[in-house]
Amino acid sequence: MKIANLIDLFRILGLLLLSLSTGCEQASTHQTLSERMAASHSRFNAFMRELTEASDQPVQPLPETVPFDKAAAKLGRALFFSPKLSANGTVSCATCHIIQQGGDDNRPVSIGIHGQKGELNAPTVLNSGFNFAQFWDGRAATLEDQALQPLINPKEMGNRSVQAVADRLNADPQWLRKFIQTFGEPASPQAIAYAIAEYERTLITPGSRFDRYLLGDRDALTPQERRGWELFRSYGCISCHQGINLGGSMFQKAGIYRPLSAHEGRWLGRYNVTHRDADRQVFKVPTLRNVADTAPYFHDGSVPTLEKAVTLMIEAQLGKQPHSQDVADIIAFLKTLSAPPKDLLHEN
Amino acid sequence: MKIDNSMPDRLYQFVLRHGLWVEGALLVVMFTIWLALRPSLLQQAPALSAHVISLRQDLTAIEEEKSRLQQFTLVRPDRVQWLTRDMHLHLRQLKKGVRQVGLADVSQTLTMLQARLEDLFGTFNSALREHAIVVDSYYTLPILGEQCELDLRKHSAIPATLHPHDIYTALLLLPLRKDLSAEKIRAVMPSIDKAKAALPSDSEACSRFISHAQTFLHHFSQLRHQMDTLNLDAARQLIIRLDTQLQHHIAQAQYHQHLVTITLGGLGGVMAFFILFMLILLNRTVKRLRAQKRELIHTSRLYRALSDINEVIVSEQDERQLLEQALTILVNDLQIPAGVITCCPDENNVLTTVAIHAQQPLAHQLLEQIRFDITPDTGNATATMLPAWKEGEIRALRNIDTHPRLARWRPLLQRFQIQHVITVPLVDGNGNSRYLLTLYLSTDEYAGPATLQLLREVREDLELALHRLHLLEKQRQQAAQLRLAEVAFNAHEGIVIASEEGRIERANETLLKWCGLDLNHMADETLPALFVEQSVIQHVMQELPHSGYWQGELSLRHVDGTPIPALTTLTWVPPSQETDRTGHYIAHCLNLSRQRQLEHELRSIQQRDPITGLPNHKALIDQLNTIMEQIMPRGECGIISIINIRGFKSINTALGHQGGDALLRQLAERLRERPAFPHLTARSSNDEFLLVPIHFFSSQDAARQWWERKYAEVLGMLSEPYDINGQPVQVEYYASAMLFDHDLPAERIVDEIETGIQLARQHGQGVTQLYFHTPGASASSRPDREITLRHQLEQALDKGELLLFHQPIYNTMERRYSLTEALIRWKREDTLVSPGEFIPVMERYPQLMTRVGRWVLRQGVADAARINRDHARPVSVSINLSAVQFNDSELIHILRDSLARHALPPDRLTLEITESALMTDLGRTRALLAALRELGVHVAIDDFGTGYASLQYLQLFQPDKLKLDKSFIDPIDPQDRRTLAIPEATVAMAHALGAKVVAEGVETAEQAAALSAIGCELLQGYHFARPMPLDELLDFLKRTETQ
């Protein structure tokens, strides 16, 4: 056979294979986003599983980096700080979740659109990607699920619907361009959620002193802090506030031995989701990382100080009588859980 | 090789060339279709299966955590959460995938699983909660119990029912009990209630202890409850079911896929097979078509060759050409390497190559050099040529390039890619081979049956053609012969063929023309009727069958009555059994009328000189007669003159005969035209012209006067140079004129004047001389006399009437007679005829002269021999040689012969030749003198001084003697020294030349003395002796010897 013919053959075959591959592909951008999300989740999950499997300690240090969708995260950051997400353009995510200040707004409850007071204390956004659920009642399994809810909360961002937000964003050519650049399609609720979630996943605070201590640096903690860490364990705080986030991995009844807050009974917590009596006053155990920066404490933000929070916790949850020195030590320890958020976006 | 350029063929070509690729493309297309038809389930099957596997794994991991929950070890809620999340994710993907594929049952299972997992995780979470609390109190209880105990101790008595130690021990043991049930747990509670009641209310430690105990129990019970509910089995089952279902579906899908694959594959295979089959078929068809086409082309070429050959056969008339062209056609049309035609083996069995044709010039050249030898066994052309020639059958040999016997030819054959050879013999009617047509072929197809068939046909056609040509040739020859016969028949003879009865059957054109007849007239004519002498013919015809042949002169009758003289030959042809039944008469007639005419013309020619056109001698005589009878008045006289060209012979030699003729013509022209008086002219002989003015005179003087005037004009006119070929030629003449009257007839007049010029010539009368010869000067009728004389002379020679007289010549040196001159004498009837009479006559007739001359020589030699024998001292004899004898080829021979016969020393013989004779033809003279010198015979120049001889020629001649002419001797006067000048000079010159001098005509003693004084050695003349017969000479010599 002539070489020319061979080349032709290869050409033909190549073309056919090409058409094959494209034919099999279902060309739909919607799927792309979902798949992208799914892929991201899978990646993150796998990462976290590995992280948790690798250690048999109840508490692990934060990883220096996490896998994330960079383009989405960039867009997410833009969205996070954009008040355009709110109905009147006054409230952004960052309004209630101030990243440089521990990831919350340091208020008992947040102030949403039109200065409305929210209902519960804003959890920190920092390291929120490591939580097993979002919201105090854990109704959002993923950050994506969480991200859209403030948008349509009449007390928070006050949009009629997320689609309205999407439309508003699409009306803006810049936002439209951003979305198209990132996802190849205009803004959609899913895209918005994913972007913000991906950004939030990047908000980690590795390198705290406690983490360094966990990683082997014995001198990262002072003796008191060490004592505090020990007391943290011996009191039994660790039984709930454990895992990579020192919390954020289980639900627990707030007020086992005695009521935790004055507004006991008002907030139903998990019951909102499961509608089981046993789940009344069951809340997600919050992360203690950066706890020193996230006053006031508890779901209703009724406890302004760590001291009081710790004392209450020990009494109500552990049924023990805390000694003030122990509390001080524990607080000293808790303070070592703070670290500034890492700029993963720029690092990568 | 393209069949044609049509669409189907091009398509086919495309398919052929790209067939396999088309196949491949088709298969790939089918593969694509197959892939497209492939259920997406199978595409997703791996992923889905992976998800299911992960679910399983996660569940297993969760089981682990569950088991941890059962123990009082640290549970890892975070692990659970991530496992949960993982399972959720897998579930979600499974759901999505399954939804895409549309597996309802799997979907259902998934939903159930999801619900179950939800329950599970809910339960798990609750369990975790309980577990955390339980574990915490578990480890706190002992401490608090102790504290309570302490407190109780402080209070004095510990109720029996309340032993915190027991309580918390019991409580602590709870988890370790394997057979724990809810009842059992509940059973413990009352004791704690009791304990609580029994406890002092102010003991914070105890109340805390009890509180913890209660909490522990409560939550432990809850935990146990949760754990009981925490049934992973269902989930596991669901997962298994899921797996099973999925696998089932996948298997089904695969099965379907296989079906599709098989179907498509089968289809594809069938298609492929079909295509392949088609291709093969097409290929075969194409191959077949191609082969057919090739065959067609091949066959058409064969037939084209045949047709071309036949064309050539039809048009070509030449055998050789025909064969050459046939060969060329075969080689070119069939496109074979070469062919050769051979024939005619010689005695060495080597064939002659008649024609060669080859496609490559080199092959052509090589073939030219090959000699085909059909000697059996040893020849180089025994493969096909020999058997073909011998048997007359076509012989073919294949693969001669690998044939072992033809190894010697192999390089050549391979060079020109010759593989087969076929020899076709062309035989004649008798089956003998005449030619061999040998073709050298290169491809197999051309050595096949079709080619052989063609060659058979070609052979037939060529043989027929050759045969036809042969017949044509014969026909042509026959036709030629017939034509010849026809021509002969219609030759210049008149031929008549008559039947036995004498009826004319055929007459040729010539006869018809002669007699002015045409064939229609001849229809009923009889043979005798053609002739004037009918009765003669009839008589002859009667006699002819017996005699066979008669010839005679008869007269044919022209229609207008004119008789045509014809020499007639009559022949009788007897009947032949094969062809004619009857006999025939054939008459050949030679027309004599032309002959007669020619004779008449000849006669008329005889009146004219052919060269100049002037009347000839005879004509002039007639004309003169006519004039004398009819014009010349009686008593008056006329003039006749003759003009002789001097030395015409030499002029002729110098100018050539054409020049000579031109001269004659010009002269004649002048004679005819220029004289301003009426005249007759004629050319009477070779170099003589007659002129007769038609002007008559009453007296001789008048005639003489008139003539003297006119003659000068005439001669002057004639003496003007002639222009011969651009050269001016000067001519000199002898001329003579004579008066005549009626006394003499014209004949005699002419005769007289002709004789007269002879005399003038003899006397050598200067350049131009006017000589009047009176008529009647010679009494005898000259012409008659001359002829008689001649005749008599001829007879005299035979009769021996001629004899030699000798005149002794005195030698002044030796003072004796040492030389004699032989002179011819004629004794006729006892009287000596005057030499002056017969010698001129003799000289006019060269033949006679030659004969006489020969006789003179012989006789002279004989006489010389006799003289020398008789006489003691040597005597030479001198013989006169005439110019005529120069032409005698026998001269030298006779001399030599005679000298030898008589044993005469050659120097005893001297030949005397006149100076003018010597000068006439120098070439001949030189030759003759050389011959004579060679002989040793002496030569004397006679009449020295009277001729033209220049001193240069004297040296050439190298004479032995010079004879001074009498005219120089006569005037010698001893008193006058001047008279001796020439003789003296001559003697001196002669001596310078080494010659002696003979003085002729010495008549006085004074002359003798004078001559002797100047050194002249030999003296001849009447003073000394007269010519005498031989006997007398002998006596004279004897007598004078003694003196």
Side-chain angles (χ1 to χ4, degrees), chain A residues 108-137:
Chain A
V109 289
S110 307
I111 296 177
I113 197 170
H114 306 309
Q116 296 172 80
K117 268 193 167 172
E119 296 189 330
L120 290 175
N121 183 251
T124 178
V125 74
L126 298 174
N127 308 309
S128 58
F130 302 120
N131 294 338
F132 81 109
Q134 311 297 333
F135 294 116
W136 285 105
D137 55 13

mmCIF file of all heavy atoms in Angstrom, chain A residues 108-137:
data_model
loop_
_atom_site.group_PDB
_atom_site.id
_atom_site.type_symbol
_atom_site.label_atom_id
_atom_site.label_comp_id
_atom_site.label_asym_id
_atom_site.label_seq_id
_atom_site.Cartn_x
_atom_site.Cartn_y
_atom_site.Cartn_z
ATOM 1 N N PRO A 108 -24.329 39.217 68.894
ATOM 2 C CA PRO A 108 -25.137 38.093 69.352
ATOM 3 C C PRO A 108 -25.926 37.502 68.193
ATOM 4 O O PRO A 108 -25.966 36.296 67.991
ATOM 5 C CB PRO A 108 -26.068 38.705 70.397
ATOM 6 C CG PRO A 108 -25.442 39.973 70.824
ATOM 7 C CD PRO A 108 -24.603 40.459 69.718
ATOM 8 N N VAL A 109 -26.561 38.435 67.451
ATOM 9 C CA VAL A 109 -27.229 37.995 66.239
ATOM 10 C C VAL A 109 -26.858 39.000 65.135
ATOM 11 O O VAL A 109 -26.566 40.153 65.410
ATOM 12 C CB VAL A 109 -28.770 37.887 66.377
ATOM 13 C CG1 VAL A 109 -29.146 36.720 67.268
ATOM 14 C CG2 VAL A 109 -29.338 39.180 66.913
ATOM 15 N N SER A 110 -26.961 38.566 63.917
ATOM 16 C CA SER A 110 -26.558 39.436 62.814
ATOM 17 C C SER A 110 -27.627 40.437 62.487
ATOM 18 O O SER A 110 -28.814 40.209 62.812
ATOM 19 C CB SER A 110 -26.285 38.600 61.579
ATOM 20 O OG SER A 110 -25.372 37.592 61.888
ATOM 21 N N ILE A 111 -27.185 41.458 61.830
ATOM 22 C CA ILE A 111 -28.163 42.438 61.355
ATOM 23 C C ILE A 111 -28.214 42.308 59.847
ATOM 24 O O ILE A 111 -27.219 42.464 59.153
ATOM 25 C CB ILE A 111 -27.750 43.860 61.771
ATOM 26 C CG1 ILE A 111 -27.765 43.963 63.293
ATOM 27 C CG2 ILE A 111 -28.676 44.894 61.143
ATOM 28 C CD1 ILE A 111 -27.320 45.288 63.849
ATOM 29 N N GLY A 112 -29.424 42.021 59.429
ATOM 30 C CA GLY A 112 -29.549 41.780 57.991
ATOM 31 C C GLY A 112 -30.053 43.019 57.276
ATOM 32 O O GLY A 112 -29.774 44.148 57.675
ATOM 33 N N ILE A 113 -30.767 42.752 56.215
ATOM 34 C CA ILE A 113 -31.254 43.812 55.351
ATOM 35 C C ILE A 113 -32.223 44.695 56.117
ATOM 36 O O ILE A 113 -32.949 44.233 56.996
ATOM 37 C CB ILE A 113 -31.914 43.191 54.102
ATOM 38 C CG1 ILE A 113 -32.047 44.240 52.997
ATOM 39 C CG2 ILE A 113 -33.220 42.513 54.433
ATOM 40 C CD1 ILE A 113 -32.443 43.679 51.682
ATOM 41 N N HIS A 114 -32.165 45.921 55.793
ATOM 42 C CA HIS A 114 -33.029 46.916 56.462
ATOM 43 C C HIS A 114 -32.805 46.909 57.979
ATOM 44 O O HIS A 114 -33.691 47.200 58.753
ATOM 45 C CB HIS A 114 -34.512 46.678 56.168
ATOM 46 C CG HIS A 114 -34.793 46.604 54.696
ATOM 47 N ND1 HIS A 114 -34.371 47.564 53.823
ATOM 48 C CD2 HIS A 114 -35.444 45.657 53.993
ATOM 49 C CE1 HIS A 114 -34.755 47.228 52.596
ATOM 50 N NE2 HIS A 114 -35.421 46.047 52.678
ATOM 51 N N GLY A 115 -31.665 46.512 58.352
ATOM 52 C CA GLY A 115 -31.295 46.532 59.765
ATOM 53 C C GLY A 115 -32.071 45.570 60.622
ATOM 54 O O GLY A 115 -32.181 45.765 61.846
ATOM 55 N N GLN A 116 -32.562 44.542 59.939
ATOM 56 C CA GLN A 116 -33.325 43.577 60.760
ATOM 57 C C GLN A 116 -32.374 42.688 61.518
ATOM 58 O O GLN A 116 -31.319 42.306 61.027
ATOM 59 C CB GLN A 116 -34.185 42.700 59.842
ATOM 60 C CG GLN A 116 -35.238 43.487 59.086
ATOM 61 C CD GLN A 116 -35.907 42.598 58.063
ATOM 62 O OE1 GLN A 116 -36.800 41.817 58.451
ATOM 63 N NE2 GLN A 116 -35.494 42.681 56.829
ATOM 64 N N LYS A 117 -32.831 42.403 62.692
ATOM 65 C CA LYS A 117 -32.017 41.509 63.506
ATOM 66 C C LYS A 117 -32.307 40.096 63.118
ATOM 67 O O LYS A 117 -33.473 39.712 62.976
ATOM 68 C CB LYS A 117 -32.334 41.736 64.996
ATOM 69 C CG LYS A 117 -31.453 42.756 65.679
ATOM 70 C CD LYS A 117 -31.624 42.669 67.194
ATOM 71 C CE LYS A 117 -30.530 43.442 67.912
ATOM 72 N NZ LYS A 117 -30.762 43.531 69.335
ATOM 73 N N GLY A 118 -31.243 39.348 63.075
ATOM 74 C CA GLY A 118 -31.415 37.943 62.792
ATOM 75 C C GLY A 118 -31.820 37.187 64.021
ATOM 76 O O GLY A 118 -32.170 37.768 65.046
ATOM 77 N N GLU A 119 -31.773 35.878 63.901
ATOM 78 C CA GLU A 119 -32.309 35.088 65.007
ATOM 79 C C GLU A 119 -31.220 34.410 65.794
ATOM 80 O O GLU A 119 -31.308 34.276 67.012
ATOM 81 C CB GLU A 119 -33.268 34.043 64.464
ATOM 82 C CG GLU A 119 -34.460 34.713 63.811
ATOM 83 C CD GLU A 119 -35.535 33.710 63.458
ATOM 84 O OE1 GLU A 119 -35.176 32.528 63.166
ATOM 85 O OE2 GLU A 119 -36.706 34.091 63.469
ATOM 86 N N LEU A 120 -30.211 33.946 65.061
ATOM 87 C CA LEU A 120 -29.183 33.193 65.774
ATOM 88 C C LEU A 120 -27.828 33.833 65.549
ATOM 89 O O LEU A 120 -27.625 34.607 64.604
ATOM 90 C CB LEU A 120 -29.155 31.739 65.298
ATOM 91 C CG LEU A 120 -30.366 30.902 65.711
ATOM 92 C CD1 LEU A 120 -30.321 29.525 65.094
ATOM 93 C CD2 LEU A 120 -30.440 30.790 67.220
ATOM 94 N N ASN A 121 -26.916 33.439 66.375
ATOM 95 C CA ASN A 121 -25.558 33.934 66.276
ATOM 96 C C ASN A 121 -24.919 33.412 64.996
ATOM 97 O O ASN A 121 -25.052 32.224 64.677
ATOM 98 C CB ASN A 121 -24.758 33.475 67.505
ATOM 99 C CG ASN A 121 -23.360 34.024 67.492
ATOM 100 O OD1 ASN A 121 -22.397 33.284 67.289
ATOM 101 N ND2 ASN A 121 -23.218 35.322 67.711
ATOM 102 N N ALA A 122 -24.228 34.281 64.259
ATOM 103 C CA ALA A 122 -23.598 33.862 62.999
ATOM 104 C C ALA A 122 -22.392 32.985 63.286
ATOM 105 O O ALA A 122 -21.477 33.383 63.980
ATOM 106 C CB ALA A 122 -23.157 35.081 62.221
ATOM 107 N N PRO A 123 -22.435 31.781 62.794
ATOM 108 C CA PRO A 123 -21.255 30.929 62.981
ATOM 109 C C PRO A 123 -20.099 31.471 62.128
ATOM 110 O O PRO A 123 -20.312 32.157 61.131
ATOM 111 C CB PRO A 123 -21.713 29.560 62.473
ATOM 112 C CG PRO A 123 -23.186 29.651 62.273
ATOM 113 C CD PRO A 123 -23.506 31.093 62.061
ATOM 114 N N THR A 124 -18.908 31.073 62.556
ATOM 115 C CA THR A 124 -17.755 31.548 61.779
ATOM 116 C C THR A 124 -17.686 30.853 60.420
ATOM 117 O O THR A 124 -18.012 29.661 60.283
ATOM 118 C CB THR A 124 -16.439 31.323 62.528
ATOM 119 O OG1 THR A 124 -15.360 31.772 61.695
ATOM 120 C CG2 THR A 124 -16.210 29.858 62.853
ATOM 121 N N VAL A 125 -17.297 31.648 59.469
ATOM 122 C CA VAL A 125 -17.167 31.078 58.127
ATOM 123 C C VAL A 125 -15.811 30.380 57.960
ATOM 124 O O VAL A 125 -15.631 29.552 57.068
ATOM 125 C CB VAL A 125 -17.310 32.212 57.063
ATOM 126 C CG1 VAL A 125 -16.078 33.097 57.008
ATOM 127 C CG2 VAL A 125 -17.626 31.618 55.701
ATOM 128 N N LEU A 126 -14.925 30.763 58.905
ATOM 129 C CA LEU A 126 -13.591 30.185 58.786
ATOM 130 C C LEU A 126 -13.646 28.699 59.126
ATOM 131 O O LEU A 126 -14.288 28.302 60.109
ATOM 132 C CB LEU A 126 -12.623 30.893 59.729
ATOM 133 C CG LEU A 126 -12.421 32.392 59.468
ATOM 134 C CD1 LEU A 126 -11.566 33.010 60.551
ATOM 135 C CD2 LEU A 126 -11.793 32.615 58.097
ATOM 136 N N ASN A 127 -12.957 27.942 58.329
ATOM 137 C CA ASN A 127 -12.875 26.482 58.484
ATOM 138 C C ASN A 127 -14.232 25.803 58.412
ATOM 139 O O ASN A 127 -14.387 24.666 58.860
ATOM 140 C CB ASN A 127 -12.184 26.101 59.800
ATOM 141 C CG ASN A 127 -10.852 26.791 59.949
ATOM 142 O OD1 ASN A 127 -10.019 26.757 59.060
ATOM 143 N ND2 ASN A 127 -10.660 27.455 61.082
ATOM 144 N N SER A 128 -15.215 26.579 57.861
ATOM 145 C CA SER A 128 -16.559 26.003 57.843
ATOM 146 C C SER A 128 -16.633 24.826 56.880
ATOM 147 O O SER A 128 -17.553 24.008 56.985
ATOM 148 C CB SER A 128 -17.566 27.078 57.425
ATOM 149 O OG SER A 128 -17.221 27.615 56.146
ATOM 150 N N GLY A 129 -15.671 24.763 55.971
ATOM 151 C CA GLY A 129 -15.675 23.642 55.033
ATOM 152 C C GLY A 129 -15.463 22.315 55.718
ATOM 153 O O GLY A 129 -15.859 21.270 55.198
ATOM 154 N N PHE A 130 -14.873 22.360 56.953
ATOM 155 C CA PHE A 130 -14.608 21.092 57.644
ATOM 156 C C PHE A 130 -15.792 20.618 58.461
ATOM 157 O O PHE A 130 -15.739 19.544 59.059
ATOM 158 C CB PHE A 130 -13.383 21.245 58.549
ATOM 159 C CG PHE A 130 -12.154 21.666 57.772
ATOM 160 C CD1 PHE A 130 -11.516 22.866 58.088
ATOM 161 C CD2 PHE A 130 -11.653 20.884 56.746
ATOM 162 C CE1 PHE A 130 -10.386 23.263 57.374
ATOM 163 C CE2 PHE A 130 -10.526 21.293 56.035
ATOM 164 C CZ PHE A 130 -9.883 22.470 56.345
ATOM 165 N N ASN A 131 -16.829 21.481 58.554
ATOM 166 C CA ASN A 131 -18.021 21.057 59.307
ATOM 167 C C ASN A 131 -18.836 20.085 58.511
ATOM 168 O O ASN A 131 -18.883 20.147 57.297
ATOM 169 C CB ASN A 131 -18.875 22.286 59.645
ATOM 170 C CG ASN A 131 -18.142 23.203 60.607
ATOM 171 O OD1 ASN A 131 -17.236 22.773 61.323
ATOM 172 N ND2 ASN A 131 -18.519 24.471 60.616
ATOM 173 N N PHE A 132 -19.473 19.194 59.304
ATOM 174 C CA PHE A 132 -20.232 18.142 58.623
ATOM 175 C C PHE A 132 -21.583 18.650 58.173
ATOM 176 O O PHE A 132 -22.254 18.025 57.378
ATOM 177 C CB PHE A 132 -20.375 16.914 59.513
ATOM 178 C CG PHE A 132 -21.456 17.015 60.532
ATOM 179 C CD1 PHE A 132 -22.613 16.265 60.404
ATOM 180 C CD2 PHE A 132 -21.344 17.873 61.643
ATOM 181 C CE1 PHE A 132 -23.622 16.347 61.355
ATOM 182 C CE2 PHE A 132 -22.364 17.939 62.564
ATOM 183 C CZ PHE A 132 -23.511 17.176 62.440
ATOM 184 N N ALA A 133 -22.009 19.747 58.730
ATOM 185 C CA ALA A 133 -23.274 20.377 58.336
ATOM 186 C C ALA A 133 -23.165 21.848 58.627
ATOM 187 O O ALA A 133 -22.287 22.278 59.395
ATOM 188 C CB ALA A 133 -24.434 19.753 59.088
ATOM 189 N N GLN A 134 -24.042 22.606 57.975
ATOM 190 C CA GLN A 134 -24.077 24.047 58.248
ATOM 191 C C GLN A 134 -25.391 24.411 58.906
ATOM 192 O O GLN A 134 -26.353 23.647 58.846
ATOM 193 C CB GLN A 134 -23.889 24.805 56.922
ATOM 194 C CG GLN A 134 -22.718 24.324 56.086
ATOM 195 C CD GLN A 134 -21.368 24.504 56.759
ATOM 196 O OE1 GLN A 134 -21.201 25.406 57.606
ATOM 197 N NE2 GLN A 134 -20.429 23.622 56.447
ATOM 198 N N PHE A 135 -25.391 25.584 59.513
ATOM 199 C CA PHE A 135 -26.490 26.089 60.360
ATOM 200 C C PHE A 135 -26.453 25.372 61.705
ATOM 201 O O PHE A 135 -26.003 24.230 61.788
ATOM 202 C CB PHE A 135 -27.873 25.923 59.702
ATOM 203 C CG PHE A 135 -28.025 26.776 58.461
ATOM 204 C CD1 PHE A 135 -28.194 26.172 57.222
ATOM 205 C CD2 PHE A 135 -27.991 28.163 58.545
ATOM 206 C CE1 PHE A 135 -28.334 26.971 56.090
ATOM 207 C CE2 PHE A 135 -28.115 28.944 57.398
ATOM 208 C CZ PHE A 135 -28.290 28.344 56.170
ATOM 209 N N TRP A 136 -26.998 26.030 62.744
ATOM 210 C CA TRP A 136 -27.034 25.441 64.079
ATOM 211 C C TRP A 136 -27.847 24.168 64.091
ATOM 212 O O TRP A 136 -27.564 23.264 64.869
ATOM 213 C CB TRP A 136 -27.622 26.453 65.072
ATOM 214 C CG TRP A 136 -26.643 27.545 65.419
ATOM 215 C CD1 TRP A 136 -26.629 28.827 64.991
ATOM 216 C CD2 TRP A 136 -25.543 27.419 66.308
ATOM 217 N NE1 TRP A 136 -25.603 29.546 65.532
ATOM 218 C CE2 TRP A 136 -24.874 28.651 66.366
ATOM 219 C CE3 TRP A 136 -25.019 26.367 67.069
ATOM 220 C CZ2 TRP A 136 -23.762 28.911 67.145
ATOM 221 C CZ3 TRP A 136 -23.862 26.630 67.830
ATOM 222 C CH2 TRP A 136 -23.253 27.877 67.877
ATOM 223 N N ASP A 137 -28.830 24.075 63.130
ATOM 224 C CA ASP A 137 -29.637 22.857 63.118
ATOM 225 C C ASP A 137 -29.164 21.875 62.041
ATOM 226 O O ASP A 137 -29.795 20.852 61.793
ATOM 227 C CB ASP A 137 -31.120 23.200 62.927
ATOM 228 C CG ASP A 137 -31.324 24.032 61.665
ATOM 229 O OD1 ASP A 137 -30.379 24.119 60.819
ATOM 230 O OD2 ASP A 137 -32.427 24.587 61.478
#
